[in-house]
């Protein structure tokens, strides 16, 4: 592993993502089965952004997604035979849209499942077990919007909960009363963007809080006095992009930090230089680079975290701003 | 990971499980079908799917789900079914919490661990149990003082039970946060919690005089800034207090001016309790202080804006070059505001 590289190693990362499905004998594969659908979404989105969307078999992927349908609940689980979950359901919809196969979904049933998870406070549970937080609220808003069924959501109730999660520093937490955290800032900001309610945000204060996340080595952290991590390249940048303040980061330094977290032998991007890569950080590293205008990448929509072209075609584009694409 | 289970028979080998039909993992998609992973995990989850299908809720289900979550703490179906089984059996939920204590410490970054406790506490409806949970989370946070799940759970307990009687759940929070900040003045989670306790969750018993509370909190933040002037959490808290109480930033000018000099020796020698000086050896000038003073000038408006612009320029070009673009924006915005 080396940190000397100054370029995004696209062919290597494509190979890395292709190799991920090949070790199903591992116990690790099964211990992470609850994230399988999400992992496929991360891999496929990263491939799309790197302009290699066909590097994984489309048919196999669609078959897998469909095999995760939980017919009792009327939504998708993360893996065949897993109970339906909102996060897996969003990933399934995103994958099928990227593969142009949304006709494989019983939209009415999925919408019913999603709406059934909204709690009296306005927040959403992830599944019938009832774990609640703003991540699931974003999953619901995003999925309903992608399915063209946002009008069935009780927007006031939903926004009411987000308001309760807003903190004195301008940020948002996972639940009412919880500390501001960049990942939660993303889910709340993006949900408000989809709902056309960015006026709920103290944009000056939040923009400043987000700019403060950049550390002397160029990387971004998720909370004050915490370590930098490549995944915040997406959580922080997407929020700044939605607030049209992405110009406030030192782009060259951040690009340098993300590139230094690449694994240069087998591919993939880690949370920080020298650590083991994984598909989550590979995806969010590539996503961050796209928003920073890194040459040769496709545009990423920061609100939906999907290829911008697809979101535009669906007529869902919100008013965000990334850095202009550089040429090599 | 399976060391502690090594001597244990597989469920398939135990006579007391012979009445359950194990259900193997879905094998329908050839390309993604599992072949041969951990035998213990496969065996346990096969029997788990078997008992779920049969709808069994019994003590052995608790043993089985305990086994599975020890192998895979993120197996949410096992958690979910365990909880339903506990309720169906009328089990002792406090005993369940004690069983889970060490497990929660080892797996504190797993969402399910905390959600399970939240469900148990909701079902228990007992402020005494909630008080015991506050003590438990304090123990966990002693090991990892910034763990987000543990903090959110503690905040949920306080808000959910909202017991503000004398000696109630909220009563010890401020003193406890102070202890945490004694240990690490840069713990942003503790600063956030202090804001929640003092300002963002209603008025606590004894805190009715909000002006006095504002003065106390502002003094508290200033003392902590003196200890570590470049600590963003303390400055954020101070700003939060001023904004929440609608106190003009200018009331702190004499304090802030102690932190914008480039050498601490330039600071006045007189001890002023209202305006504690930076600790010896602190790195000065402090960026947060410069920023604060520029805000004061900008709020005053008129000719003062020029002074703010000078500070912003020094931040952009010298003291905080990483955020050059942000400071350049502030200069443009400030000048525009001054012209308007």
């Amino acid at each position: 592993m080396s940190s000397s590289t100054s370029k995004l190693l696209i062919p290597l990362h494509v190979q890395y993502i292709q190799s991920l499905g090949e070790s199903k004998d591992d116990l690790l594969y099964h211990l992470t089965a609850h994230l399988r659908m999400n992992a496929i979404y991360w891999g496929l989105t990263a491939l799309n952004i790197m302009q290699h969307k066909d590097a994984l078999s489309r048919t196999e992927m669609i078959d897998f997604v469909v095999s995760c349908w939980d017919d009792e609940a009327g939504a998708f689980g993360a893996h065949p035979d897993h109970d339906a979950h909102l996060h897996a359901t969003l990933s399934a919809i995103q994958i099928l849209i990227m593969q142009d196969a949304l006709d494989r979904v019983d939209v009415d049933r999925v919408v019913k499942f999603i709406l059934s998870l909204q709690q009296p406070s306005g927040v959403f549970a992830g599944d019938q077990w009832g774990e609640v937080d703003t991540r699931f609220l974003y999953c619901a808003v995003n999925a309903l919007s992608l399915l063209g069924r946002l009008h069935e959501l009780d927007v006031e109730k939903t926004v009411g909960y987000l308001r309760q999660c807003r903190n004195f520093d301008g940020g948002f937490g996972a639940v009412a009363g919880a500390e501001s955290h960049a990942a939660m800032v993303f889910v709340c900001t993006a949900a408000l963007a989809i709902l056309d309610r960015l006026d709920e945000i103290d944009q000056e204060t939040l923009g400043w809080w987000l700019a403060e996340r950049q550390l002397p080595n160029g990387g971004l952290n998720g909370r004050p006095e915490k370590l930098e991590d490549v995944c915040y390249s997406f959580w922080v940048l997407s929020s700044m992009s939605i607030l049209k303040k992405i110009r406030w980061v030192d782009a060259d330094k951040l690009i340098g930090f993300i590139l230094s977290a690449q694994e240069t032998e087998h591919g993939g991007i880690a949370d920080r230089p020298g650590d083991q890569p994984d598909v989550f950080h590979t995806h969010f590293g590539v996503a961050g680079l796209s928003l920073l205008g890194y040459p040769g990448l496709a545009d990423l929509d920061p609100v939906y975290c999907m290829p911008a072209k697809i979101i535009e075609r669906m007529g869902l584009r919100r008013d965000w701003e990334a850095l202009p694409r550089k040429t090599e | 990971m399976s060391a502690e289970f090594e001597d244990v028979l597989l469920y398939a080998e135990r006579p007391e499980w012979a009445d359950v039909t194990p259900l193997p993992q879905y094998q329908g998609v050839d390309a993604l079908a599992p072949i041969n992973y951990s035998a213990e995990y496969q065996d346990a989850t096969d029997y788990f799917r078997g008992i779920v299908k049969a709808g069994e809720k019994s003590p052995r289900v608790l043993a089985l789900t305990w086994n599975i979550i020890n192998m895979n703490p993120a197996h949410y179906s096992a958690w979910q079914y365990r909880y339903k089984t506990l309720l169906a059996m009328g089990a002792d939920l406090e005993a369940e919490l004690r069983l889970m204590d060490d497990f929660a410490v080892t797996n504190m970054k797993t969402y399910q661990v905390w959600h399970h406790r939240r469900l148990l506490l909701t079902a228990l409806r007992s402020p005494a149990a909630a008080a015991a949970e506050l003590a438990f989370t304090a123990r966990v946070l002693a090991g990892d003082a910034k763990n987000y799940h543990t903090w959110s759970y503690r905040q949920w307990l306080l808000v959910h039970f909202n017991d503000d009687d004398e000696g109630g759940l909220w009563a010890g929070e401020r003193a406890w946060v102070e202890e945490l900040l004694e240990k690490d003045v840069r713990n942003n989670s503790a600063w956030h919690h202090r804001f929640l306790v003092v300002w963002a969750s209603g008025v606590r018993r004894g805190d009715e005089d909000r002006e006095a509370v504002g003065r106390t909190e502002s003094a508290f933040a200033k003392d902590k800034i003196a200890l570590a002037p470049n600590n963003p959490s303390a400055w954020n808290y101070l700003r939060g207090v001023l904004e929440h109480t609608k106190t003009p930033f200018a009331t702190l000018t004499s304090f802030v001016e102690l932190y914008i000099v480039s050498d601490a020796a330039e600071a006045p020698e007189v001890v002023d309790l209202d305006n504690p000086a930076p600790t010896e050896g602190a790195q000065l000038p402090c960026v947060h202080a410069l920023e604060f003073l520029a805000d004061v000038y900008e709020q005053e408006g008129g000719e003062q804006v020029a002074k703010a612009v000078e500070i912003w320029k020094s931040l952009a070009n010298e003291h905080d070059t990483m955020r050059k673009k942000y400071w350049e924006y502030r200069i443009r915005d400030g000048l525009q505001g001054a012209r308007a």
Side-chain angles (χ1 to χ4, degrees):
Chain A
M1 208 169 293
S2 121
S3 58
S4 60
T5 179
S6 59
K7 274 200 165 4
L8 181 65
L9 306 169
I10 291 180
L12 204 58
H13 299 320
V14 171
Q15 271 176 38
Y16 169 77
I17 292 170
Q18 285 173 322
S19 75
L20 289 172
E22 289 163 8
S23 52
K24 294 175 204 70
D25 292 1
D26 284 0
L27 180 59
L28 188 66
Y29 176 90
H30 295 277
L31 295 186
T32 56
H34 65 288
L35 289 172
R36 186 71 51 235
M37 186 74 83
N38 310 124
I40 294 172
Y41 154 74
W42 294 325
L44 179 63
T45 309
L47 289 173
N48 266 278
I49 299 306
M50 293 189 290
Q51 322 246 33
H52 280 75
K53 72 184 180 66
D54 299 323
L56 294 174
S57 157
R58 176 176 183 270
T59 325
E60 226 174 76
M61 192 181 293
I62 294 172
D63 286 349
F64 177 79
V65 171
V66 171
S67 76
C68 294
W69 177 255
D70 172 355
D71 197 47
E72 203 180 314
F76 293 94
H79 194 271
D81 267 6
H82 276 220
D83 295 333
H85 195 281
L86 188 48
H87 193 193
T89 297
L90 171 63
S91 287
I93 292 168
Q94 290 173 313
I95 294 166
L96 292 175
I97 287 175
M98 283 189 270
Q99 297 287 23
D100 197 16
L102 197 58
D103 57 337
R104 302 292 294 271
V105 180
D106 184 340
V107 172
D108 288 342
R109 289 203 67 196
V110 171
V111 168
K112 205 172 149 204
F113 170 82
I114 296 172
L115 292 173
S116 77
L117 293 172
Q118 189 165 32
Q119 309 298 304
S121 68
V123 72
F124 278 77
D127 63 13
Q128 290 163 329
W129 195 27
E131 193 189 348
V132 298
D133 65 38
T134 47
R135 291 173 309 152
F136 302 133
L137 183 150
Y138 167 72
C139 289
V141 169
N142 185 343
L144 288 172
S145 168
L146 289 175
L147 295 173
R149 302 286 283 269
L150 203 54
H151 55 276
E152 294 182 42
L153 175 74
D154 185 337
V155 173
E156 281 315 311
K157 198 159 95 172
T158 309
V159 173
Y161 188 78
L162 291 170
R163 206 177 285 138
Q164 284 186 54
C165 295
R166 194 174 55 198
N167 288 317
F168 71 97
D169 52 18
F172 291 84
V175 288
E179 184 185 0
S180 296
H181 183 294
M184 310 308 160
V185 168
F186 160 71
V187 291
C188 295
T189 303
L192 289 167
I194 293 172
L195 297 170
D196 285 324
R197 292 295 291 273
L198 287 178
D199 56 306
E200 292 290 338
I201 297 177
D202 176 351
Q203 300 192 16
E204 287 298 298
T205 308
L206 180 54
W208 163 83
W209 187 88
L210 290 162
E212 288 279 314
R213 303 281 57 78
Q214 193 163 25
L215 299 174
N217 68 356
L220 303 169
N221 65 10
R223 298 183 258 165
E225 297 293 319
K226 295 280 284 182
L227 281 180
E228 68 286 351
D229 182 319
V230 161
C231 67
Y232 293 111
S233 310
F234 178 74
W235 309 125
V236 173
L237 288 183
S238 55
S239 308
M240 293 181 98
S241 180
I242 294 167
L243 300 177
K244 297 191 173 177
K245 299 188 189 312
I246 193 168
R247 286 162 204 236
W248 293 354
V249 296
D250 186 326
D252 290 338
K253 279 201 156 179
L254 179 53
I255 288 173
F257 171 74
I258 299 172
L259 294 178
S260 73
Q262 295 181 102
E263 213 277 7
T264 54
E265 205 174 315
H266 306 289
I269 302 177
D271 56 353
R272 58 185 71 94
D275 286 354
Q276 283 295 320
D278 57 62
V279 68
F280 175 89
H281 289 94
T282 305
H283 163 59
F284 287 116
V286 169
L289 290 173
S290 172
L291 293 173
L292 291 168
Y294 192 87
L297 296 178
D299 291 345
L300 176 92
D301 185 295
V303 176
Y304 293 88
C305 197
M306 283 173 62
K309 216 168 42 187
I310 295 177
I311 297 300
E312 264 166 50
R313 201 187 306 139
M314 294 174 77
L316 295 176
R317 193 189 194 282
R318 295 300 189 265
D319 192 18
W320 49 267
E321 190 180 276
L323 292 182
R325 182 84 37 221
K326 295 176 189 148
T327 46
E328 305 247 19
Chain B
M1 79 157 6
S2 58
E4 58 189 292
F5 304 104
E6 259 169 18
D7 302 330
V8 178
L9 291 175
L10 295 178
Y11 290 92
E13 298 162 344
R14 299 187 208 180
E16 71 271 25
W17 283 86
D19 58 309
V20 176
T21 311
L23 275 183
Q25 175 84 340
Y26 183 94
Q27 304 266 352
V29 184
D30 286 343
L32 292 147
I35 305 159
N36 181 26
Y37 51 104
S38 155
E40 290 101 336
Y41 187 68
Q42 181 169 350
D43 170 64
T45 51
D46 287 355
Y47 276 80
F48 174 65
R49 282 181 286 271
I51 53 103
V52 170
K53 181 140 196 233
E56 177 178 330
K57 297 199 172 74
S58 66
R60 71 175 178 181
V61 171
L62 296 182
L64 175 64
T65 51
W66 175 239
N67 188 355
I68 291 172
I69 59 180
N70 270 280
M71 287 190 273
N72 183 6
H75 196 303
Y76 59 75
S77 302
W79 282 104
Q80 179 173 12
Y81 201 75
R82 180 180 182 85
Y83 177 66
K84 285 185 191 162
T85 305
L86 288 165
L87 288 195
M89 287 171 53
D92 177 351
L93 301 184
E94 299 205 40
E96 172 74 359
L97 286 166
R98 298 293 76 80
L99 172 71
M100 290 288 170
D101 281 353
D102 288 344
F103 187 81
V105 175
T106 318
N107 297 284
M108 60 164 84
K109 293 199 170 171
T110 306
Y111 281 97
Q112 283 79 4
V113 165
W114 300 105
H115 183 60
H116 189 63
R117 297 189 89 92
R118 181 172 161 164
L119 289 176
L120 294 172
L121 264 290
T122 307
L124 276 165
R125 305 161 72 106
S126 150
E133 286 299 275
L134 289 187
F136 173 71
T137 54
R139 279 211 313 279
V140 176
L141 291 168
D144 177 1
K146 298 178 179 181
N147 184 272
Y148 198 83
H149 304 300
T150 316
W151 276 108
S152 303
Y153 175 59
R154 187 179 182 98
Q155 284 145 357
W156 173 80
L157 286 166
L158 289 165
V159 174
H160 181 78
F161 287 92
N162 204 21
D163 176 7
D164 198 25
D165 293 344
E166 231 168 297
L169 293 178
W170 286 97
E173 287 306 282
R174 199 180 320 185
W176 175 69
V177 164
E178 258 169 62
E179 271 175 46
L180 288 181
L181 291 174
E182 289 287 323
K183 281 185 209 140
D184 177 9
V185 73
R186 294 172 176 271
N187 182 344
N188 193 63
S189 305
W191 283 103
H192 166 82
H193 195 67
R194 189 173 183 94
F195 200 92
L196 176 71
V197 171
V198 180
W199 304 107
S201 57
V203 177
R204 304 265 81 81
R205 183 182 288 264
D207 276 357
E208 291 81 0
D209 182 350
R210 301 312 271 166
E211 268 183 46
V213 173
R215 283 193 300 273
T216 314
E217 291 305 298
S218 163
F220 177 80
K222 287 193 284 185
D223 284 342
K224 297 297 183 198
I225 288 170
L227 287 177
N230 292 294
N231 173 12
S233 305
W235 284 99
N236 286 357
Y237 185 79
L238 181 60
R239 284 170 172 270
V241 171
L242 297 177
E243 273 162 21
H244 194 87
T245 55
K246 303 193 165 50
T247 308
F249 279 24
T251 55
L252 287 184
T253 304
S254 353
F255 168 72
V256 172
E257 279 174 343
L258 299 173
Y259 293 78
I260 60 161
V261 292
S262 45
D263 185 352
E266 292 172 31
E269 304 241 326
V270 193
V271 177
D272 176 355
L273 289 178
D274 285 335
N275 297 303
T279 183
E280 221 174 298
Q283 207 191 342
L284 296 178
C286 166
V287 166
H288 305 290
L290 288 167
E291 181 180 0
F292 193 101
L293 193 59
D295 284 348
V296 170
Y297 292 140
E298 190 187 31
Q299 281 177 9
E300 287 172 350
E303 305 205 338
Q304 294 293 80
V305 173
K307 290 188 186 171
V309 169
E310 279 316 301
I311 295 178
W312 288 326
K313 280 185 183 162
S314 80
L315 286 164
N317 299 321
E318 188 183 350
H319 303 300
D320 190 29
T321 51
M322 175 77 78
R323 271 164 283 278
K324 189 178 177 62
K325 298 274 173 53
Y326 173 71
W327 298 120
E328 288 171 352
Y329 157 78
R330 290 296 301 270
I331 293 169
R332 283 196 306 278
D333 190 58
L335 290 174
Q336 228 165 37
R339 274 197 296 273

